[in-house]
Structures are given as C-alpha cells and as structure tokens.
Amino acid sequence: MVATSSLPRAGERTVRTLPARTRLAVTGARLAAAVSRGFGAGDGGMIGGLVALKLDPAALRRLGHGRVVVLVTGTNGKTTTALMLSRILESRGPVALNADGANMPAGVAAALAARPDAPVAVLEVDENYVPYVAEQLRPACLVLLNLSRDQLDRTGEVRALERELRAAVSRLPETTVVANCDDPLIASVGAASERPVWVAAGQGWHADALACARCGQAVRREGADWDCVCGLARPVPGWTLDGDVLTTADGHELTLGLRLPGRANAANAAAAVAAAAQLGVTPLAAVARLRSIGDVAGRYRRTAVGAHAARLLLAKNPAGWRETLPLLDPRAPVVIAVNSREADGRDVSWLWDVPFEQLRGRPVVATGERASDLAVRLLYAEVPHTTSRDPLAALADLPPGPVELVANYTAFRNLKRRLGDG
Amino acid sequence: MGESAVRIGLVMPDVLGTYSDSGNATVLACRLRWRGLSASVVEIGHDDPVPSSLDLYLLGGGEDEAQALAADRLRAQPGLQRAAARGAVVFGVCAGLQLLGTGFRTGDGSWQAGLGLLDATTVPGPRRAIGEVVVRDCAGLGAEPVTGFENHLGRTRLGPGSRPLGRVVTGTGNGDGTDGAVTGRVLATYLHGPVLARNPALADLLLGWVLGAPLPALPLAEVGALRRERLRAARR
Ligand SMILES: [Zn+2]
C-alpha cells in the first residue's frame, strides 16, 4: 500500500522528444480533428486519433512513453472517475485526459497527442480495449470500477470480458491496480494483480455477478461479504466507503461532500482518491479538489431551454439507470431518449431490466430512435406516457419548469451538442 | 379460471436473465390482468427447489457457465420436468432453448446434459449470431411473423420429437433456416427482445394453452407500432 509512482513536481515540464514519424502523426491527428470539428462531425477526438494510429502504428506507445499513465475502466463511471483523477492530479502539473469520452485506442491516442507537454495522463478506456491499451502504455495505475451487462451485442458476454481483463492484469506486474472489492467480477480481475489496492465502494446492482467468474458456481452473499466454493472471496478492503464517508487505508475518515449527486459518484470518488494516493496525493487534498466538480461532460448540469430548466443525465444500461432513478426530482417530468447506434448497442432489451415502474405518477415522454421500444416498455410498466421521436420537441411541449432529460450514449451526445455544450 | 390466478414461474432469473428475459413474465402477467384475469409471478432463485405446481415456466438467456449451473440444478431438482409431464406450459429463450433440449456443448468443449423436454441438441457455431430476426410460418400464429433480437453462438439441431417454431427469413435462429423448437406445450426460441413484448400473438398462444381456450383480442397501438417498425428495420 505504498506509493508506487511519484508525480513530477509542478513546474517541472518534461520536454518530449518524439520521433519525426510520431510528430508527423500527431500533427496529422490535430489537423484531422480540426477538420472533423469544422464539419460538425463530432468532437474530433476519435477521427484525430484514428489518423495518428494510421500514420504510425506505434504512436500510442510512443505518445505514452515517459509519462505517468493512469487508466480507468469499468462499465459505468469511467468518464466521471477519470475527470476526478485528472482534477486531483492537475494540482501537480498538466494532465492529458480524454474528457470527451472517446475511450477506444484512437480516442486515447488523440488525448495524448493533444497534450504532448503533460507528464501525467489519465485515460478512460473501453473495457474491451484495456488489454491492448495497457500493453502499449504500461500504466502506473489501473482503476477497475465495475462490470455489468452493457451493449451485449457489441461486447460479448461479460464473463468472457472478465477473463480478458484478468489476463491483461497478470501481464502488468509493475502496475498498481485499484479495484472495487464489492464487485465479484472486478475482484476476480484485481486478484490477478501483484499490486492490488482494494476499495469497498459498494455495488449498485448484483444481477450479473452471480455465477462465479472463476468456476461458474453460485457466488454466496451475506451482507457486504461474498465468497465462492472455489475459494474466490471478497478481498479485505484497504479503503471503505460508507454513505458519504470514506475511510482511508490508514484509518482516517473523510467526508466527501461532493456536488455531484448519488451513490455511484461517491463510489467513483472513492476510487479516484485511492488511486491518487498511490501517486502521492494525500486523501485530504484529493477530496478538496473533488468538491470543485459540478458537472461531468455536461451531465448533471441544468440548462435553460426555452421555458424549461433541463437537467441532462446519462443512463445507458440497467446499472446506470438504477443509479439515476433515485436522483430524479419526483415533481419534474421525465423525457427519456434511447438510441441504438453502434456505440449504444443495437439491442435494447436492457430496457426491460430497468425498473421504470418507479416513474409512475409523473409525466414521462418516450423519445429517441428507439422511442417505440421504450413506449412498449413503459406501457407494460403501467407508466402513462407520450411518445415523440425528438427529445427537444417533446421538451417544448411540456409545461414550463424543471425537466429531467435522461439519455443513453449517442442520444446524450446529440442532446449536448444541440444544447450548445459541446 | 376467473377464480384462481395463473401462476407464472420465472426460473432462476438471477442466473438465466442475460437478455432481460424477466420482461416476458411482466408481459404475460399484464396481458392476463388487463383482461380481468389474475396472475402471479413466482421468482425461483437458483438455490430454490423448482415447484411443480405452477401453470407456466419461463427460462431465459445466460452465459455458458450460468447455463451449465442452471442445467445442473434443474436436473437435480426435477420440479420443472414433473410440471411439464402433467401438461404445464414451458417457454425457453436462447440458453433456455438449449437447456430444454437433450444436451449442449459449451464454448470450452464440454458436453452437458439438458432436461430433455425438447428433442434438440446444440453445438457452438462458427461465429456469434447477433441481430434482428424475423421468423415466419409459425404454427398457431396465423400469418403473424415473430420478430426479435438474437445473440448466441449455439447452433441447434432438432430430432423427430420436436418441430421448429418457424422458418427464419432474417437472421440465424437454429442455424439451418429454422428457429426454435416445439414439443407439445414446451416451446422455445432464440429470440429475445423480450420476445413476448414484441409478439403478443405468441404471448397469447402460451396463455391460451394454460387457460385451455383462446384469449379475446387485446389491441395495443404501441405494440403494433413497434412491430411495424422492427419488421421494417429487419428488411433493410
Ligand atoms: Zn468460484
């Protein structure tokens, strides 16, 4: 539980000497990103990164060379946790961050290319690309948040993913792995590490973790504890989150007092503070930095849209929805937008694992490209609702006042753009 | 039947529920209640013995290990087999289809015995079948095609003791141009979605078997709209 990597001190800038080919790749990436933004094709990050990797296949490794790299992965909370960590580590100097959520290799490369001066990189990585990205970047620290079903048609089965991640971790003997011991799938991955740091961050939803990742037998639970006949059991946590209080590895109790709402954000903060401690930042200083965060890439922020104060929330799978439902203002109408693009997953059956029954009693509008699927789900949840393809048109039809706007990945991205946030 | 509730067993939703298959129970219960009939859903956890007294049993999708775990438990506690023998309705989806058959080979190459309620065997195919599926010529459903989403590696062969649910016009299904398997009142398919939300005629076919008579029509505009949209999307 000692700090395994120390950060360069503030003001100490690393002068990066990159091979000409990588420098060319970086220039190409920036140009492509600018062009992409110019055409309104997106945030530019992905396209820029793709160009960089095409020009120089080793670009990712070279772009990361000599930096302290932290990777953040998991089904939910990647963007938030990476933002939190970068906000903490920025107190020591510049940090490269894929704040746009572009978390595949191209997006990661683009984030590194955008900040060649930053001695530290905090990168969220799509679960499926962790083996590749970690191999290239050899991170000082890997943060493992949670694993649950998300976009099954794209990513395959969650236990196969666990096996891939476990193999990747066993190939990273120098990496400190900060992992949530309350998620049996994550604990199985983290246990493959030579340097695990266990955080009891809670688990929002158990349904996916029932068959043991190691042997397929049923995981037994008793209170917070869990174990399996094969011997896999909940590791003893160094850090423990209880409500809003985080107990550190050396037994100090810290009240988080975040501006971001909900249990899931407290769990993300616990992971970020524990990871920052591995890099030499005291938990007290880390928590103070976290309190400055009021929104995450447009999430949770209230925006005036005509006569409405819309709060934009991202919920892209059942676990995310279970964290989001308790945050919703019980008096405000809810506009839900669901798409099924490649990045969302084509299969929307997950809607049936969301307890939408909890929305009974307030006005609900089903919107997005899969509004019809959502409408049938709401019908069978016996939630009165209306249906409209376009979420902002639906918003305009509601009486003035606060509105909760909950969208899945590409629907959220579109809304953010149309509301002028990005 | 107005007196006693139709009892719907959701078999191991904690293990078999990968594709949100508990939605099928929600749909069946609502379709009974909305017609003035009562319904109750009994969730049978993986540690619970399966009661043999229920009217209808639902088995959903699961990953290899979960499917093998479920098959072990269901063979050891044969409540479901006893219920089927006395004529209860059994509906399986995806892994549920595979484990209702006589046996299946999992991804690691091991052979698992199924429950033998369907004459079907399953082996891994060359690649996962993922996407929208349309199945036509389904006995008991008239001209109504069945629409759903599939995500499975297994390819299923039927023996003479089962007939397919129908003919696949879009997607993979069993892998030989058909989808699903039916023997008596045991019916299974590769389609989720959940499939009964998308296919009210299939839901009512199962309920008709339970009640011993066809159910009155229950027109729901939103379900009709979803069906039209998904059938159109599958043609693209
Ligand atoms: Zn085990």
Side-chain angles (χ1 to χ4, degrees):
Chain A
M1 214 75 66
V2 281
T4 54
S5 319
S6 56
L7 293 176
R9 278 185 298 277
E12 183 184 314
R13 297 284 158 89
T14 317
V15 178
R16 234 146 254 301
T17 48
L18 293 172
R21 193 170 175 215
T22 303
R23 255 182 295 152
L24 183 65
V26 170
T27 314
R30 283 201 190 122
L31 189 63
V35 169
S36 152
R37 274 191 295 270
F39 282 117
D43 298 330
M46 281 295 287
I47 292 174
L50 279 171
V51 171
L53 291 177
K54 196 153 198 154
L55 291 174
D56 178 3
L60 197 53
R61 187 160 42 79
R62 291 218 185 85
L63 286 166
H65 184 73
R67 310 199 213 212
V68 174
V69 174
V70 183
L71 303 183
V72 179
T73 198
T75 308
N76 288 310
K78 290 186 286 285
T79 305
T80 305
T81 308
L83 174 77
M84 287 174 164
L85 256 169
S86 73
R87 195 62 69 87
I88 295 168
L89 300 177
E90 269 165 7
S91 62
R92 307 291 195 85
V95 176
L97 170 73
N98 47 349
D100 54 359
N103 59 19
M104 305 213 190
V108 168
L112 291 167
R115 295 301 302 268
D117 61 315
V120 175
V122 177
L123 301 160
E124 69 161 281
V125 184
D126 180 282
E127 307 83 276
N128 299 282
Y129 290 99
V130 166
Y132 172 76
V133 171
E135 170 100 46
Q136 301 296 312
L137 293 178
R138 312 301 299 182
C141 184
L142 169 64
V143 180
L144 302 170
L145 297 170
N146 49 65
L147 278 183
S148 75
R149 74 187 69 165
D150 181 16
Q151 312 167 4
L152 280 163
D153 57 318
R154 184 169 69 83
T155 66
E157 299 179 344
V158 67
R159 258 168 220 97
L161 182 59
E162 186 279 332
R163 278 191 291 275
E164 300 274 311
L165 287 173
R166 199 195 317 161
V169 162
S170 69
R171 293 191 299 265
L172 299 168
E174 305 297 320
T175 301
T176 300
V177 173
V178 174
N180 181 3
C181 65
D182 288 332
D183 183 324
L185 288 170
I186 286 293
S188 174
V189 175
S193 168
E194 291 179 23
R195 300 163 179 270
V197 172
W198 299 110
V199 183
Q203 192 188 19
W205 196 39
H206 295 168
D208 289 299
L210 217 119
C212 171
R214 298 286 175 100
C215 72
Q217 290 302 301
V219 170
R220 298 173 297 205
R221 286 180 185 276
E222 199 175 321
D225 251 336
W226 57 263
D227 71 350
C228 176
V229 288
C230 72
L232 186 70
R234 180 178 186 255
V236 178
W239 300 68
T240 302
L241 178 69
D242 186 5
D244 199 35
V245 176
L246 178 63
T247 305
T248 67
D250 45 14
H252 289 100
E253 292 192 353
L254 289 170
T255 299
L256 294 176
L258 303 177
R259 282 163 65 200
L260 297 178
R263 192 210 67 84
N265 282 324
N268 297 334
V273 174
Q278 309 312 309
L279 300 171
V281 180
T282 67
L284 196 64
V287 168
R289 302 276 302 175
L290 295 185
R291 296 191 186 124
S292 69
I293 300 174
D295 74 86
V296 180
R299 291 176 220 173
Y300 312 108
R301 189 191 302 163
R302 222 169 253 292
T303 310
V305 188
H308 301 96
R311 182 165 66 153
L312 193 50
L313 297 154
L314 173 75
K316 52 191 169 72
N317 50 37
W321 263 102
R322 271 160 211 264
E323 303 290 0
T324 301
L325 280 166
L327 307 181
L328 300 178
D329 177 353
R331 290 151 307 179
V334 184
V335 175
I336 305 169
V338 175
N339 286 356
S340 63
R341 301 286 174 106
E342 191 67 36
D344 301 305
R346 300 283 182 195
D347 181 6
V348 295
S349 62
W350 60 270
L351 289 172
W352 291 80
D353 273 330
V354 178
F356 284 116
E357 288 78 2
Q358 292 176 25
L359 294 178
R360 283 176 199 160
R362 52 187 131 187
V364 177
V365 191
T367 75
E369 291 160 0
R370 298 302 291 270
S372 303
D373 297 79
L374 179 57
V376 169
R377 171 68 190 103
L378 292 169
L379 171 77
Y380 280 109
E382 301 186 269
V383 175
H385 60 275
T386 56
T387 306
S388 163
R389 191 70 40 170
D390 179 7
L392 290 188
L395 185 71
D397 286 342
L398 290 168
V403 175
E404 306 281 32
L405 209 49
V406 191
N408 72 340
Y409 184 67
T410 67
F412 179 89
R413 211 177 53 188
N414 294 344
L415 275 169
K416 213 169 62 148
R417 193 170 301 136
R418 290 171 68 193
L419 293 173
D421 288 344
Chain B
M1 205 66 209
E3 302 284 299
S4 59
V6 173
R7 300 184 71 208
I8 301 164
L10 192 50
V11 180
M12 303 188 185
D14 45 358
V15 175
L16 299 174
T18 296
Y19 302 114
S20 314
D21 305 290
S22 66
N24 286 326
T26 308
V27 169
L28 290 170
C30 284
R31 297 186 71 80
L32 287 165
R33 286 191 199 118
W34 292 344
R35 287 162 164 134
L37 300 164
S38 54
S40 64
V41 176
V42 181
E43 292 198 10
I44 305 156
H46 72 276
D47 264 342
D48 306 333
V50 178
S52 57
S53 57
L54 309 183
D55 301 303
L56 196 162
Y57 295 80
L58 301 175
L59 292 86
E63 300 174 9
D64 272 359
E65 286 153 350
Q67 184 180 335
L69 172 69
D72 283 347
R73 300 277 162 112
L74 291 172
R75 279 199 320 272
Q77 293 270 357
L80 178 63
Q81 294 87 316
R82 274 191 215 115
R86 60 156 184 77
V89 176
V90 181
F91 179 59
V93 170
C94 202
L97 160 63
Q98 298 178 4
L99 67 84
L100 287 171
T102 50
F104 53 93
R105 195 178 297 290
T106 56
D108 65 8
S110 65
W111 183 259
Q112 288 271 340
L115 306 187
L117 299 181
L118 294 169
D119 190 1
T121 54
T122 302
V123 296
R127 69 191 72 82
R128 284 193 89 75
I130 302 175
E132 293 284 336
V133 192
V134 178
V135 183
R136 289 193 180 273
D137 306 330
C138 303
L141 301 182
E144 284 289 325
V146 170
T147 150
F149 197 94
E150 65 181 340
N151 184 348
H152 57 99
L153 183 63
R155 300 295 184 270
T156 297
R157 273 287 147 100
L158 303 189
S162 287
R163 61 175 170 80
L165 171 66
R167 179 173 61 86
V168 171
V169 292
T170 305
T172 300
N174 293 342
D176 61 356
T178 69
D179 175 71
V182 188
T183 297
R185 293 170 159 203
V186 180
L187 188 154
T189 172
Y190 269 112
L191 278 59
H192 62 267
V195 66
L196 299 185
R198 284 204 194 185
N199 301 281
L202 182 57
D204 288 353
L205 177 72
L206 299 176
L207 292 175
W209 286 348
V210 171
L211 298 168
L215 280 88
L218 180 66
L220 299 166
E222 283 164 308
V223 177
L226 174 61
R227 281 183 62 75
R228 283 192 296 280
E229 195 178 295
R230 296 332 299 161
L231 289 169
R232 209 166 41 234
R235 268 203 300 274
R236 276 206 301 264

